[in-house]
Amino acid sequence: MHRVDLRRLILLLTIAATLLTFAISFHASYQTLRSQLMSQTLEANRAYAAKLAHSTDNFLKAAQQQLAYSAALLPEMLGQAERLDAEVTRLKEQTGTFNGVFIVCAKGRVQAVAPWRPGLVDSVLQTEGAQRALAARAPLISTPYVGLRGHLLVFLSQPIFAPDGRYLGYVGGAIHLGESDGSLQALLGNHYYQDGSQLYVVDGNRHLLHHQDPSRTGGVAAGNAAVEAVLRGEEGSRRLREASGIDMLAGYAPVPSSGWGVVAQRPTAATLTALDGLMLDILLNALPFFIPVLAAIWWLSQLIARPLRQLAVTARHWEHAAARTEIRQVRSWYFEAEQLRLAMLGGLSLLHRKLGRLNQENVTDPLTGLANRRGLQLALERWQEQNRPFAAIAVDIDHFKQVNDTYGHDVGDRVLQHVSRLMRSVSRSGDLVCRGGGEEFTLLLPEAGLEAAAQVAERLRVLSGQTKSPTGGGVTLSAGVAHWPSCAASPSAVLKLADEALYRAKRSGRNRIALAGQLEVGSEDAPVS
């Protein structure tokens, strides 16, 4: 019976193992890069939608502010045609926001209009936006409708009240949708995509207020999970399938002031097209190396099989005197082969580790430049591995909602940046200052004790109260202090203790410091803001 010799077995096994390893590595690389590309596209679409949503929100607020300013001036102008004409012309021409501006009395009759149209002054507007503005007697952004001249538009209005509170009418502005002369179209821009990507804005009734395909503006976006999510006020990204059946990677963000939503989405196939070409290039570049590899495998198979073959041949004439000499002359290479195998496995492990580090996540809060929650978690894990003690200070701005309500969110953001700078000023170079979200901050002090951290927190509290902030006065802070490992067994438990101490300080009157398991630190007579 003919048996296959060891050299052929090694050759076949090595070739099969090499091809299988290459196939597995190639497939794993493909899946890793595929997941990375999709994640990057989802995040890019979310960030793009959030940026446009923020711009649209600011645009609408600015437009309403223009109308509100005019509404405050108009009571003394009503009945003076020339002054009313000048005012609507100013609103129309000053910023180019509105395609048309109207001043309407309480009976619904037009008092002035820009641009001027024959027969419109002293007539009663029957459009949807005009009727809703009269009925609401409050600031209003209408749903899309077709105006007097056939334009699809939204209508913004502000009521006009006399000094004694009587309703005198409203001033309103029309913004065209889906047309080159519309300010909303100019804000969002024209996006000429060749791969099926889409950018659109929807209102609370799912009407398309903007679409890069003008023919779709005014239609209804139905059956889209991203639209449903953004109309619930959510911001995020997701993979979805449109009603047309196209697989999309969508990012979305709401426009708070109007209840609108912005959606940016790209076909999944378009995202992965570049990956297919990349993997093909990798395959083609790898193929030329297989010829010398196969030659080396053939040579190594002979080298590995030679000792056993020599022993087998010698065993066939065991009785000869020369057999002993021949066995001594056999050189075994098994140890070296094992080392080579381990070296190859080590190289493959190194490759996998490199693939695992292809995507590095952002660990910085964009508003303040401080570390975010992920940066905080990474520092905690690193210090825990190093068994490095630290103190944690949880900081919260007192009555921050009143700052936003009184001065606006832009001032609120500047207050957050102001407090961030103060926290940096009282921290050392090796300390970690983090913003957890909203008005909540965390200061980590490595190698610092509980009392030293309390002194830092008190210094920050006093400095904040005495330093002029964007609101014009000082900002008071409440803080909680804890220490690891003296206060708790784990870093996460220490953060929780610091938060609990913070809430105890706030319940005790705010503008004070509380230590984990101890009483508050701070002036009882300090003003609470």
Side-chain angles (χ1 to χ4, degrees):
M1 179 180 179
H2 178 71
R3 298 184 182 275
V4 180
D5 60 78
L6 181 61
R7 184 182 64 83
R8 288 187 175 88
L9 285 175
I10 294 175
L11 182 61
L12 291 174
L13 180 61
T14 307
I15 292 175
T18 302
L19 292 175
L20 182 61
T21 301
F22 176 78
I24 293 174
S25 300
F26 187 82
H27 178 72
S29 300
Y30 176 83
Q31 293 298 328
T32 300
L33 292 173
R34 182 178 185 271
S35 176
Q36 180 188 3
L37 277 176
M38 293 176 64
S39 297
Q40 289 177 343
T41 300
L42 286 169
E43 175 58 21
N45 285 343
R46 183 207 63 77
Y48 188 41
K51 175 184 176 182
L52 290 181
H54 180 71
S55 299
T56 303
D57 192 51
N58 289 339
F59 168 80
L60 292 174
K61 289 178 179 177
Q64 288 284 38
Q65 288 172 356
Q66 292 179 50
L67 294 176
Y69 177 79
S70 181
L73 301 177
L74 283 172
E76 65 179 32
M77 298 184 188
L78 293 178
Q80 303 178 43
E82 291 185 1
R83 295 185 67 185
L84 293 179
D85 289 340
E87 181 63 14
V88 292
T89 300
R90 181 189 68 79
L91 282 173
K92 170 70 171 58
E93 302 296 336
Q94 187 173 30
T95 62
T97 299
F98 304 108
N99 295 95
V101 179
F102 302 83
I103 297 176
V104 179
C105 72
K107 295 181 179 180
R109 294 188 178 277
V110 177
Q111 303 300 297
V113 59
W116 182 84
R117 299 173 193 169
L120 193 55
V121 175
D122 205 36
S123 66
V124 177
L125 290 178
Q126 300 296 332
T127 62
E128 177 183 341
Q131 295 301 313
R132 286 193 61 194
L134 276 176
R137 297 191 176 188
L140 179 70
I141 300 177
S142 75
T143 57
Y145 67 91
V146 177
L148 296 175
R149 304 186 68 181
H151 296 290
L152 182 67
L153 55 86
V154 291
F155 191 70
L156 284 67
S157 63
Q158 283 282 343
I160 304 171
F161 291 101
D164 59 4
R166 286 181 300 108
Y167 177 67
L168 302 179
Y170 66 86
V171 56
I175 300 176
H176 292 174
L177 303 176
E179 299 182 23
S180 59
D181 63 342
S183 54
L184 185 60
Q185 179 79 6
L187 170 69
L188 298 173
N190 293 315
H191 306 271
Y192 298 103
Y193 297 102
Q194 303 298 323
D195 59 1
S197 296
Q198 298 176 2
L199 172 71
Y200 51 90
V201 181
V202 295
D203 69 1
N205 295 320
R206 299 172 182 78
H207 291 119
L208 288 168
L209 305 179
H210 168 81
H211 199 284
Q212 75 263 20
D213 180 2
S215 65
R216 293 193 59 183
T217 302
V220 177
N224 189 309
V227 171
E228 300 304 320
V230 78
L231 293 185
R232 292 194 298 267
E234 300 175 11
E235 176 182 333
S237 60
R238 64 176 65 192
R239 184 179 180 183
L240 54 87
R241 188 172 296 277
E242 273 203 329
S244 60
I246 300 176
D247 192 319
M248 289 284 191
L249 301 175
Y252 47 87
V255 182
S257 64
S258 62
W260 298 355
V262 179
V263 180
Q265 57 188 26
R266 187 185 188 198
T268 304
T271 300
L272 299 179
T273 297
L275 176 60
D276 294 338
L278 175 63
M279 298 308 294
L280 179 60
D281 289 341
I282 292 175
L283 181 61
L284 293 176
N285 289 329
L287 286 177
F289 292 96
F290 268 84
I291 296 176
V293 168
L294 291 177
I297 290 173
W298 178 83
W299 178 76
L300 286 173
S301 67
Q302 286 189 318
L303 189 62
I304 294 171
R306 185 177 300 159
L308 288 181
R309 188 174 184 84
Q310 290 174 343
L311 290 174
V313 171
T314 302
R316 296 174 69 177
H317 46 85
W318 188 261
E319 68 281 5
H320 292 177
R324 185 179 205 137
T325 302
E326 291 175 0
I327 292 175
R328 288 178 176 175
Q329 292 175 348
V330 173
R331 300 179 61 187
S332 176
W333 298 94
Y334 300 113
F335 177 78
E336 289 76 10
E338 177 66 10
Q339 294 303 305
L340 178 60
R341 184 184 68 84
L342 293 176
M344 292 176 64
L345 290 175
L348 186 59
S349 298
L350 179 60
L351 174 61
H352 286 166
R353 287 197 297 271
K354 287 184 178 179
L355 288 176
R357 293 194 297 266
L358 285 176
N359 187 23
Q360 181 179 4
E361 297 188 23
N362 187 4
V363 294
T364 302
D365 174 51
L367 177 63
T368 62
L370 304 180
N372 59 17
R373 290 184 182 274
R374 180 169 293 277
L376 172 67
Q377 187 60 37
L378 291 176
L380 290 177
E381 292 173 357
R382 184 170 64 253
W383 293 351
Q384 187 174 23
E385 289 175 358
Q386 298 170 351
N387 200 27
R388 189 180 188 187
F390 66 91
I393 304 175
V395 180
D396 188 274
I397 302 175
D398 295 331
H399 298 301
F400 183 69
K401 183 177 183 300
Q402 293 181 5
V403 174
N404 282 331
D405 293 343
T406 304
Y407 301 100
H409 288 278
D410 289 341
V411 173
D413 288 346
R414 293 201 297 273
V415 169
L416 293 174
Q417 294 167 342
H418 166 74
V419 172
S420 301
R421 290 190 292 269
L422 295 181
M423 293 185 70
R424 287 195 185 98
S425 71
V426 301
S427 62
R428 303 167 300 178
S429 60
D431 297 338
L432 183 66
V433 188
C434 312
R435 180 190 175 203
E439 68 273 23
E440 298 177 358
F441 298 85
T442 302
L443 179 57
L444 299 184
L445 309 175
E447 311 295 344
L450 186 65
E451 295 301 328
Q455 293 175 9
V456 172
E458 176 64 9
R459 189 161 65 251
L460 172 63
R461 184 190 71 81
V462 173
L463 178 63
S464 181
Q466 296 175 348
T467 304
K468 183 178 180 181
S469 75
T471 65
V475 175
T476 64
L477 305 175
S478 297
V481 185
H483 183 268
W484 182 78
S486 63
C487 292
S490 68
S492 59
V494 167
L495 293 183
K496 184 177 179 182
L497 287 177
D499 284 337
E500 291 174 353
L502 166 64
Y503 292 131
R504 192 168 72 251
K506 294 180 78 69
R507 288 194 301 268
S508 300
R510 296 184 172 86
N511 192 20
R512 62 194 64 230
I513 310 301
L515 277 62
Q518 299 182 29
L519 296 178
E520 295 74 16
V521 178
S523 173
E524 294 292 341
D525 299 325
V528 178
S529 70

